[in-house]
Amino acid sequence: MKKLLFMAGVFLTLVSTHAQTAEEIKAEMGPKKDSIAAIQGRVDALQAQLDALPGWKIGAFGTIGGSLSQFNNWFAQGIPNNSSGNIGFTVNAYANLQEEKFFWRNAANINLAWVKLDDKDDPTDDDSFRQATDVFNISSLYGRKLSEKFAISALAEYRTTILSNFNDPGYLDLGVGATWTPITDLIVVIHPLNYNFVFSSEDTIFESSLGAKIVADYTKKIGAVNFKSNLSLFQSYESSNLSNWTWINSFSYTLWKMIGVGFDFGLRNNKQETLNYIVNNAPTPDPTATFDTIDNELQTYWTLGLSYKF
């Protein structure tokens, strides 16, 4: 009994000592964490000063996602013998020039993806990778500063697909107006005089028009986090059927050197594209459809995978 009591006492003493040691370590870690946060705050402030200096700022980040799989005699599913895969990537690149009296901001967004599903029991099926996502946007904004926050500006923006149907349709916006920069990382473009050129072989549906262009772009880098959100809206003066908007968001978190985790998603509303799909490309085309008879459904996409930055 004495030996048991002695061993229990020793055990309790060790546990108590360990607990006290853990508490002491945690107590020591607190001030050090505060110091790290203070140092990071000073580094971020210096980075902000560096970003505000005149000259070119060039960079790129994006997401790479993909998977490959193969099944043999997996009878629990409808296609027991198959190989499948999906591959996709996004690129967000920029080249911005900041000077005392003017700025010039250039950006590109590319999102491409392919998928395949090969049914090995069906020799007639398509076993190749097929296009799944196809987005290509480039823009160039020049501004002459009236003050630190306002500028007279001109914008050129082009949007299309590149894997198939290049420039069919394609959209080119050219316009002038004003640009507002309320904070360092946010650009708001308001161009009441803008012409939206639409290029397409389907000239009975797609039509160019005069209207207003609004663009809001927020690009931010905080430590290991890169974030970009871009809204591009065209409001036609001739008809709401000719208006469109696209909102693209990209997020990446760096885990090691230039590699991390990335997520991209986009939203789009374009009634001309919807009508063209229903009339010409739907599984059951409806050649009698008009702008008044269709539902203008929201277009969306998203990509999740490894991220990279330069």
Side-chain angles (χ1 to χ4, degrees):
M1 178 62 79
K2 290 182 179 181
K3 289 183 179 181
L4 289 175
L5 292 175
F6 175 76
M7 292 177 63
V10 171
F11 177 75
L12 292 174
T13 301
L14 290 173
V15 171
S16 176
T17 301
H18 175 74
Q20 291 174 357
T21 303
E23 292 300 325
E24 290 172 357
I25 293 174
K26 290 179 180 179
E28 292 181 11
M29 288 174 60
K32 289 181 173 57
K33 288 183 177 180
D34 294 338
S35 298
I36 293 172
I39 293 171
Q40 186 62 52
R42 292 195 293 270
V43 171
D44 292 342
L46 292 172
Q47 184 64 49
Q49 295 178 27
L50 182 62
D51 293 340
L53 291 176
W56 282 99
K57 302 293 187 300
I58 299 174
F61 71 96
T63 303
I64 300 174
S67 68
L68 297 173
S69 64
Q70 180 167 322
F71 291 87
N72 295 303
N73 301 324
W74 200 264
F75 298 115
Q77 60 189 17
I79 305 177
N81 299 292
N82 76 78
S83 63
S84 63
N86 66 82
I87 302 172
F89 69 91
T90 65
V91 177
N92 295 282
Y94 62 88
N96 300 330
L97 175 62
Q98 187 71 244
E99 296 292 346
E100 181 180 354
K101 295 183 178 181
F102 70 92
F103 60 81
W104 185 21
R105 301 176 62 88
N106 304 277
N109 172 263
I110 302 173
N111 188 325
L112 305 176
W114 298 262
V115 298
K116 69 169 289 185
L117 175 61
D118 177 21
D119 184 352
K120 297 184 179 301
D121 296 324
D122 182 2
T124 64
D125 73 334
D126 186 356
D127 61 355
S128 63
F129 277 92
R130 293 175 292 171
Q131 167 199 332
T133 304
D134 192 355
V135 178
F136 178 77
N137 296 343
I138 56 174
S139 65
S140 183
L141 173 68
Y142 177 84
R144 197 74 183 178
K145 294 181 181 178
L146 301 178
S147 66
E148 284 300 315
K149 296 186 180 298
F150 289 94
I152 299 299
S153 57
L155 172 70
E157 182 182 72
Y158 178 67
R159 305 182 307 280
T160 187
T161 56
I162 58 177
L163 295 180
S164 64
N165 301 323
F166 176 72
N167 204 41
D168 188 14
Y171 305 88
L172 175 63
D173 281 292
L174 296 175
V176 294
T179 294
W180 177 43
T181 53
I183 58 177
T184 303
D185 305 300
L186 177 62
I187 301 291
V188 180
V189 179
I190 303 174
H191 286 178
L193 185 59
N194 182 94
Y195 200 82
N196 179 235
F197 295 90
V198 183
F199 310 100
S200 175
S201 58
E202 182 57 85
D203 54 6
T204 60
I205 296 176
F206 293 96
E207 183 180 345
S208 304
S209 65
L210 182 69
K213 184 74 173 182
I214 297 175
V215 177
D217 184 279
Y218 183 76
T219 305
K220 186 70 174 178
K221 178 182 178 182
I222 305 175
V225 177
N226 284 277
F227 178 79
K228 181 178 179 65
S229 181
N230 181 276
L231 172 66
S232 179
L233 181 150
F234 172 72
Q235 181 62 51
S236 174
Y237 293 146
E238 298 182 23
S239 170
S240 61
N241 293 329
L242 307 181
S243 302
N244 63 77
W245 59 266
T246 303
W247 184 27
I248 297 175
N249 300 270
S250 301
F251 171 88
S252 71
Y253 182 81
T254 304
L255 298 173
W256 178 73
K257 293 186 177 181
M258 296 186 297
I259 306 300
V261 177
F263 178 70
D264 295 77
F265 73 92
L267 306 174
R268 182 167 175 80
N269 186 287
N270 189 312
K271 202 166 188 178
Q272 294 178 93
E273 291 178 350
T274 302
L275 179 59
N276 181 61
Y277 175 78
I278 293 174
V279 171
N280 297 307
N281 302 317
T284 306
D286 181 4
T288 64
T290 66
F291 285 116
D292 296 327
T293 63
I294 65 172
D295 293 326
N296 188 21
E297 297 183 2
L298 183 66
Q299 306 173 40
T300 67
Y301 74 80
W302 62 268
T303 303
L304 176 66
L306 295 177
S307 68
Y308 61 90
K309 69 173 183 177
F310 300 101

